[in-house]
Amino acid sequence: MVEWRRHIHENAELSGQEVKTAAYVAKHLRALGYEVREGVGGTGVVGVLKGARPGRTVALRADMDALPVAEASGLPFASRQRQPYMGTEVPVAHACGHDGHTAMLMGAAEVFAGMRDHISGTIVLVFQPAEEGASHELKEGEKFGAAAMIADGALQPKPDAIFAAHLIPNMPRVIAYKTGPVFASSDVVKIRIKGKQTHGAMPWHGVDAISVGSQLVNSMQTIVSRQLDISKEPAVLSIGKFIGGNRNNIIPESVELEGTLRTFDEAMRRDAKARIRKMATLIAEANGATAEVSFPPGGYSATINPEALMNAMVPVLTKVSDGKIMSASKLMASEDFSEFQKEIPGVYILVGAPPVGKDPATAAPNHNPAFDFDEGMMQQGTKAMAGMALEFLSRQGD
Ligand SMILES: [Zn+2]
Ligand SMILES: [Zn+2]
């Protein structure tokens, strides 16, 4: 498993471009006797293994994509790959541990193949591209990642449940689980404010888009702090981009703002979006400007673990981890595993894997150039994934 992980790590590929990784996975699955479908939703791979006896169908999912990150892990198998991202060539590295997830699921594939005679039911292994989002600007309605795989029939035969896991270096070496929301929803917020360009010395001849944008950034902070019921679930709205103007004494025609909205509840997500729209429109109007608000395609829903299914898995997770299990906190990061959860019951767990000798509190986090994880914990991840699948198959009909 370590060898597979290192091979995938060294040959890191960006979202939607996981050609070599997909071929590597497909070859492995075929050699184990899986029925394999390639090119599912782009570069996705689906492997199906029918057990000796009939039963339910269970799916496991791993993501295969790397990130536009220049690796600084110092590992001997560090990536030196470069690929196109949003129109330019960039360095590519597995800075989120998806190389580990892919290797873990390849390991689980081997476990199932070795015990096929004892399996009642069908195993569906989903190796997913583009979990981190597309590497190009999405057109309205264009699907990527999990949604693209689902649209392309990845969930055939239809599983009764699906499971996935994420390696996290900033957690102790335990399996962490949580019922309810695990990962936040994520939406890009884009706002364009149009005023009227004028001389900085004579603002009364124009409409100051910079002043309107500034008011809006401040006012929008009250959406989470004063308007959403954050006693129910937390939420975050951050503006990370504010572009406008090119000279000290020219008040520009327009400014552009971009931010990210995170919630853990679909109703709060809709509500926050409506409030952003309203606030931008009305603040602009009050100042004689106009505002265009959009939430570009590519947003993620919250990842929410159904209580009954999650709780049903706790005993097997406790067993495979020798009791090294803890309850997790929700994370403001996002996961398109939520797309699978819209189709079938799904559970997402976390595997703490700080690099050997590193304190989880100070280990380089996911998406950091120095990101790394303890390869030894991949065993735990595989055991947890395989354990949950087999446990689910053994619990006929509940
Ligand atoms: Zn990531
Ligand atoms: Zn990730």
Side-chain angles (χ1 to χ4, degrees), residues 165-189:
H166 209 300
L167 292 160
I168 309 276
N170 308 108
M171 262 176 36
R173 283 182 182 74
V174 299
I175 289 170
Y177 73 97
K178 187 181 177 306
T179 58
V182 188
F183 290 110
S185 69
S186 169
D187 289 287
V188 174
V189 183

Side-chain angles (χ1 to χ4, degrees), residues 71 73 75 94-97 99 167 169 364-373:
E71 181 159 358
S73 65
L75 295 167
H94 270 291
C96 201
D99 49 341
L167 292 160
N366 295 68
H367 293 204
N368 184 289
F371 171 89
D372 189 23
F373 61 85

Side-chain angles (χ1 to χ4, degrees), residues 96 98 131-132 367:
C96 201
H98 299 184
E131 188 283 322
E132 301 283 5
H367 293 204

Side-chain angles (χ1 to χ4, degrees), residues 19 59 275 369:
V19 177
R275 288 176 188 278

Side-chain angles (χ1 to χ4, degrees), residues 133-156:
S135 299
H136 62 276
E137 294 283 350
L138 288 170
K139 292 192 266 304
E140 193 64 47
E142 185 182 348
K143 291 187 162 80
F144 66 96
M149 279 199 90
I150 294 164
D152 204 8
L155 298 180
Q156 291 297 332

